[in-house]
Amino acid sequence: FLSLVAEFCCGFFVILILGNFWFLAVLYLLWLYLDWETPCAGGRRSQWVRSWTVWKYFREYFPIHLIKTSELNPKHNYLLGFHPHGVLVAGAFGNFCTDPPFKNLFPGLTPYLHIMPIWFGCPFFREYIMSAGMVSASKESVSHVLNNEGGGHASVIVIGGAEESLNAHPGSLTLNILKRKGFIKMALKHGAHLVPVFSFGENELFKQVANPKGSWLRNVQEKLQKIMGFALPLFHARGVFQYSFGLIPYRQPIHTVVGSPIPVKQNLNPTTEEIDQLHALYLQKLKKLFEEHKSNYGIPAHKSLIFE
């Protein structure tokens, strides 16, 4: 969905340049230059955009549910690790970039969904995603959010990143997380409490072309991901009037379960050992969250998360 909107915005910008409105394009480029750092400085959210009626229908289509398992004290800042990436990241967008799901369950907390910096270079599209509460996934941006004195901020990071979208097959429980420890270091440096979040149903929205590790397709996808910064999963789902083929996601319920916070004491210069210890604890809490709730959402008892 976001990719389609981005393409439309870029196309509109090209029309301005090629048409009789080139001066508007020049003015916008000037604005882009002056406003370049905003995605790393908390963005520019709009309550009006986040409350559009279309988001209500978007959440109801699947439907998307946000499940609260513990209180999050707004006097603290939090770093929420979102899993899995899936193809669409629908649970993250529906719950953290639209109102009122998160606001109703966690009053006093403001969520910021961190996404790849490349998206903020797209003309006009950057204004839209910032208005929804999205900010850059750069270290500078995460630090800005978690530095809020008095608490009340929640950084939401899709830990597996674009690479994990290549594992987004129905029934897949593989998470790219063993080597991803940057978010742990950020939590320690800012004393932000860690919160594991698992979105059941995220991988069921599309069917992806088989791409096992070592296959020629997977090798090409991984090389392109390293070059461009984002992955290109080959997927399909349903059409508007038929269910056999199309790009509209299947209507599969998504239950995004927010776990209990892991208290983190601020440590400006954490050692590798301290980072590894907290990372291991996070994995333990994430696995526990999954095991406690999997039976509620149709996951067989013998299936467990796979960390790689």
Side-chain angles (χ1 to χ4, degrees), residues 142-155:
V142 177
S143 291
H144 181 90
V145 172
L146 297 181
N147 264 336
N148 190 48
E149 292 186 11
H153 280 188
S155 278

Side-chain angles (χ1 to χ4, degrees), residues 166 168-169 207-212 216-217 221 233-236:
L166 300 178
H169 296 272
K207 291 180 180 178
Q208 190 172 168
V209 175
N211 60 342
W216 70 268
L217 176 58
Q221 289 175 321
L234 299 180
F235 60 89
H236 68 88

Side-chain angles (χ1 to χ4, degrees), residues 85-87 161-174 176 203 206-225 230-236 308:
H85 184 287
V87 171
E163 182 183 356
E164 193 173 83
S165 67
L166 300 178
N167 290 327
H169 296 272
S172 174
L173 296 173
T174 301
N176 292 64
N203 284 339
F206 297 93
K207 291 180 180 178
Q208 190 172 168
V209 175
N211 60 342
K213 284 187 176 294
S215 65
W216 70 268
L217 176 58
R218 186 60 168 258
N219 290 335
V220 170
Q221 289 175 321
E222 290 177 346
K223 288 180 181 178
L224 289 175
Q225 190 263 324
F230 56 90
L232 293 172
L234 299 180
F235 60 89
H236 68 88
E308 64 175 31

